[in-house]
Amino acid sequence: MGKVRVAGFGVSIDGFGAGPDQGLKDPLGKRGPELFQWYFPTRGFREMHGESGGEAGPDNEFGRRAMEGFGAFILGRNMFGPAGDDWGGPDWKGWWGDNPPYHAPTFVLTHHARAPIVMEGGTTFHFVTDGIEAALAQAKAAAGDLDVKIGGGVSTVRQYLLAGAIDELHLAQSPVVLGQGESLFAGIDLPGLGFRVTEKVPTEQATHIVLAR
């Protein structure tokens, strides 16, 4: 059985994993993209978007690790589409176009039921309405011996942390201060949950921190 991991999760110096006022025009919230300036210039990100070149150093390596070894993904509702019960309209199929980056069964937590959506590249979105435990059970069954990635957003990561379900966290702490947004660790005692730092790699754009238990 694989692990349950969070990987490549951007966080600000003051602990925010997304900016305020998330919506169709700002899926990461106001200033949210600043948390991923470490990732955008990498070779892996550029290849994902059909471009050549890009940086190939530690940021690229952590970005690659953040998407490899997973047999299933779990996403919060807003990681699939804008808030509301119409899913961004009848033709909405996610933020990423016809070929999302997951390439595996992907389980979306929601209160609004919807039939599965089969996409290019091996991604199928499944919409789970009966809670985080049900989504995790389905994801583990789909992943087999591979890992399950808790892909975000902040609320989803917090719920799985508090449930004691996450084995490892890779945070990319960017040198920005958001001041407001969605706080990742407010009220959460990571040492009390058994986590310790197992890896720390600073780069010009971020400090990559891996915590495991």
Side-chain angles (χ1 to χ4, degrees), residues 124-141:
T124 298
F125 291 113
H126 302 272
F127 301 91
V128 182
T129 59
D130 45 356
I132 64 171
E133 292 86 359
L136 184 57
Q138 293 179 51
K140 285 183 173 181

Side-chain angles (χ1 to χ4, degrees), residues 169-184:
L169 292 136
H170 160 225
L171 305 174
Q173 187 178 48
S174 296
V176 298
V177 180
L178 292 186
Q180 57 182 321
E182 291 193 64
S183 178
L184 183 58

